[in-house]
Amino acid sequence: MQRLIDAFFNSVRAFRKLAASEKAFQQELMLLVLALPLGWFVSVSWRGYALLIGAVLLLIMVEVLNTGIEAACDAFSREFNVDIQLAKDCGSLAVLISVIIVAGVWGIAIIERITGLPI
């Protein structure tokens, strides 16, 4: 049980650090704050609501992992290294893919709400 408690406090520390200093994380938190009530009006079911919010949470999770990759790379070396550049670029690509997933899920939900037809 102590391990879970320690993991929780480590997670809270990371959340506070990212919320205070990482612009992308701050923007995605604001997106989540907006998505929580908006998703309720956009979705046509509880399952749809969960998918809308889950997509935003997925984006936040990938952003956290990307920030972790960048921090680990910077701790290793701040000098240019082609392998470090690839690691950071891959993290950035993962965030972009997550953004596309969020846009797709929300786009489909909005179209479904407007047309009344399940897609």
Side-chain angles (χ1 to χ4, degrees), residues 53-63 98 101-102:
I53 301 308
V56 176
L57 289 172
L58 172 75
L59 171 61
I60 292 171
M61 180 178 65
V62 173
E63 183 64 50
S98 298
I101 290 170
V102 170

Side-chain angles (χ1 to χ4, degrees), residues 42 48 51-53 55 100-110:
V42 171
L51 185 61
L52 291 171
I53 301 308
I100 292 168
I101 290 170
V102 170
V105 167
W106 277 80
I108 289 169
I110 290 168

Side-chain angles (χ1 to χ4, degrees), residues 20-43:
S21 63
E22 291 293 324
K23 288 291 181 199
F25 186 75
Q26 294 167 353
Q27 291 169 349
E28 290 157 3
L29 282 180
M30 288 305 303
L31 180 64
L32 178 62
V33 167
L34 293 173
L36 288 168
L38 259 172
W40 180 254
F41 294 106
V42 171
S43 67

Side-chain angles (χ1 to χ4, degrees), residues 1 32 36 49 67 72 94-96 109 112-113:
M1 189 65 172
L32 178 62
L36 288 168
Y49 181 73
T67 302
V95 172
L96 176 61
E112 188 176 62
R113 171 56 80 183

